[in-house]
Amino acid sequence: MTEAEQYDVVVLGAGPAGENIADRTCAAGLTTAVVESELVGGECSYWACVPSKALLRPALARADARRVPGLAAAVRGPLDPEAVFAHRDYWTGHWKDDGQLDWLASIGAHFHRGHGRLDGPRRVAVTSAEGEHHVLTARHAVVVATGSRAVVPDLPGLAGARPWTSREATSARQVPPRLLIVGGSVVAAEMATAWQALGSRVTVLVRGDRLLPRMEPFAGELVAEALREAGAEIRTGVSVQAVVRDGHTGPVTAVLENGETVEGDELLMATGRSPRTEDIGLETVGLAPGDWIPVDDTLRSAAHDWLYAVGDVNHRALLTHQGKYQARIAGAAIAARFAGTAGKAGTAGTGGDGALDTARWSPHVATADTAALPQVVFTDPEAAAVGPTLDAAERAGHRVRAVDYDLGKVTGAGLYADGYRGRARMLVDLDRGTLLGATFVGPGAAELLHAATIAVAGEVPVDRLWHAVPSFPAMSEIWLRLLETYRDSEG
């Protein structure tokens, strides 16, 4: 083992969150090392957001085109899977991270390829694929940004059936004639949309009563309705108890709780995520391996003032854009906390009396993780939401009013697609007179979301929203209709 290398900050994990925090700390003049055992860019770039959207875009574009007069007849044919896969492969960089490595170098970060583990306070031990070992020490902060991985439940026969997880679902090179999907999550809904469009006969087995259980009920209902119309089978209230595969490449059979069986050619388990912390040395700093890492709003660990955790691993919001946001917040907090101490050992700057000076860095807090959390599900129709659902808001004790409107009745939506089907809901906090949340479901609805996110994050009074005039005949006219409906409901 070589002599320990010293840096101001060591980042464990080079996904979007790890990249963003390295960018901020390097920009602040803090020497920063980044450790990654796989590809720089992480899950999102190679096995999640980017490849899934590359697979979905042709499906959604074809669905939109089929609703446009004069164009529908021209797009009745099937998708070209090879062309779709080539499009996906381009956007994943063919699963090579050369460009991301160049970017890390350009910001001044020091990259270490290998498996990193905490090795006591402010120490990270790195083991390369070739078995070489070295230790990195952090003068100020270690940031854990190792993300999450797909959960594969311990069902009889499942391991031997070689199920797909989200990684295989976004990187497969052949279209399975029949695809079984277990779960009702975002991954389940998006991959059902993509693979049904690519030619698979999709069956979705949902233990709960609907798809997309974390969104407003009408979101899952509209998505399920569209999937059924496209030829997929959506079965709710069913539980898989065992899995059987015929040989190495034969059909796979899911055995349900009632004894019924469902057969497919591949099986995708879309049943949740778990933190990638089981082998990163948490036990060396008094934390439990395999657990999420609790943090405060500056993304600092509750256990150690030098330890930060950003992205999925802290379990605040398992969304790439939120992980990047957290990284920007944590990077700013670390930079402010250790301003002027680059290359110097010790903790944060202190005041004249030796007390820890938090005034500079405590304002950097990740409020959007709870107050204005946006998410888009890229199904057909798209489902986009910010803030809590009506049920969640009421359970949290808010006095709210839900305002609904048929999105298809907006002129811009009707021009967007013949027979447009969709729905919008805004939640008004009656005590504060501001928007608490909003949900939009329909083709192209994702582009409506950021306006709602701004209104929620900015706590814009509903009375002021009347003066944000939507352009006609854009789909954003939905805002006027929601406000009119809210006014009329006041009686």
Side-chain angles (χ1 to χ4, degrees):
M1 184 175 291
T2 60
E3 185 177 347
E5 301 175 40
Q6 284 199 336
Y7 301 92
D8 293 317
V9 179
V10 177
V11 181
L12 190 54
E19 289 178 313
N20 271 263
I21 200 161
D23 188 32
R24 293 304 168 102
T25 55
C26 285
L30 298 171
T31 58
T32 303
V34 179
V35 181
E36 175 57 60
S37 61
E38 295 188 304
L39 297 175
V40 176
E43 196 80 9
C44 175
S45 298
Y46 304 103
W47 300 286
C49 325
V50 172
S52 67
K53 303 316 167 279
L55 291 174
L56 283 159
R57 179 58 191 152
L60 301 185
R62 182 182 66 169
D64 282 347
R66 285 177 171 178
R67 302 182 184 107
V68 178
L71 181 59
V75 289
R76 287 297 170 193
L79 296 176
D80 178 351
E82 293 305 314
V84 174
F85 294 156
H87 174 64
R88 175 207 55 198
D89 294 353
Y90 168 79
W91 278 100
T92 59
H94 299 273
W95 288 275
K96 296 179 180 178
D97 62 1
D98 297 353
Q100 296 300 98
L101 286 170
D102 290 343
W103 177 82
L104 273 182
S106 76
I107 66 171
H110 300 259
F111 180 64
H112 299 265
R113 179 91 71 185
H115 179 65
R117 300 183 83 255
L118 290 166
D119 186 34
R122 298 188 180 88
R123 288 169 58 89
V124 174
V126 182
T127 303
S128 72
E130 295 74 29
E132 297 178 353
H133 304 276
H134 58 285
V135 173
L136 314 179
T137 62
R139 298 181 185 94
H140 303 312
V142 174
V143 184
V144 177
T146 49
S148 65
R149 59 164 49 90
V151 169
V152 179
D154 185 18
L155 293 177
L158 184 59
R162 300 173 306 284
W164 282 6
T165 66
S166 52
R167 284 199 170 195
E168 289 77 20
T170 56
S171 62
R173 298 191 173 277
Q174 300 292 329
V175 178
R178 300 167 300 171
L179 175 62
L180 301 181
I181 300 177
V182 178
S185 64
V186 173
V187 170
E190 288 190 345
M191 290 298 93
T193 300
W195 288 102
Q196 181 70 35
L198 284 164
S200 287
R201 194 171 76 210
V202 171
T203 300
V204 185
L205 305 173
V206 186
R207 184 169 58 182
D209 60 356
R210 67 178 189 270
L211 290 177
L212 306 178
R214 295 182 181 275
M215 302 187 85
E216 297 285 8
F218 63 81
E221 291 164 4
L222 286 167
V223 170
E225 180 182 336
L227 279 168
R228 289 186 176 108
E229 290 179 358
E233 183 180 1
I234 313 296
R235 301 182 59 177
T236 59
V238 296
S239 179
V240 176
Q241 298 297 298
V243 175
V244 179
R245 184 143 213 166
D246 184 6
H248 188 73
T249 59
V252 59
T253 301
V255 182
L256 306 184
E257 190 174 32
N258 62 5
E260 186 181 352
T261 60
V262 186
E263 188 176 272
D265 297 288
E266 294 292 351
L267 171 68
L268 165 60
M269 299 301 295
T271 49
R273 309 286 297 180
S274 63
R276 293 174 59 118
T277 61
E278 70 283 356
D279 189 24
I280 62 167
L282 289 183
E283 69 279 3
T284 71
V285 294
L287 298 175
D291 279 1
W292 307 98
I293 302 176
V295 294
D296 64 19
D297 282 346
T298 67
L299 291 311
R300 190 175 59 157
S301 164
H304 303 288
D305 68 355
W306 53 267
L307 181 64
Y308 290 73
V310 295
D312 285 9
V313 75
N314 62 36
H315 208 224
R316 287 169 67 99
L318 276 65
L319 296 162
T320 295
H321 48 273
Q322 293 302 125
K324 293 164 72 172
Y325 162 75
Q326 292 173 11
R328 294 191 295 269
I329 295 293
I334 291 170
R337 184 181 175 191
F338 298 108
T341 65
K344 299 177 183 178
T347 57
T350 59
D353 60 356
L356 189 66
D357 182 6
T358 62
R360 293 181 305 188
W361 53 273
S362 59
H364 302 286
V365 293
T367 57
D369 286 342
T370 54
L373 180 66
Q375 180 177 17
V376 176
V377 185
F378 291 88
T379 45
D380 175 36
E382 293 173 340
V386 60
T389 63
L390 173 59
D391 179 64
E394 290 178 337
R395 284 189 285 105
H398 294 286
R399 196 169 65 90
V400 296
R401 178 174 297 152
V403 182
D404 292 343
Y405 199 84
D406 182 346
L407 193 50
K409 292 182 177 179
V410 174
T411 302
L415 291 169
Y416 187 94
D418 265 10
Y420 189 104
R421 284 181 291 177
R423 185 171 169 185
R425 168 174 287 178
M426 72 176 187
L427 296 181
V428 178
D429 186 317
L430 296 175
D431 293 321
R432 295 188 303 152
T434 59
L435 200 67
L436 186 65
T439 299
F440 306 95
V441 182
E447 298 307 324
L448 295 169
L449 184 62
H450 195 56
T453 303
I454 291 171
V456 173
E459 300 180 347
V460 180
V462 172
D463 288 347
R464 285 300 305 160
L465 289 178
W466 281 101
H467 302 283
V469 182
S471 298
F472 182 84
M475 206 185 302
S476 57
E477 191 185 7
I478 184 62
W479 283 103
L480 175 59
R481 303 307 171 209
L482 287 168
L483 289 168
E484 289 174 336
T485 304
Y486 176 61
R487 176 199 60 196
D488 294 343
S489 72
E490 290 183 301

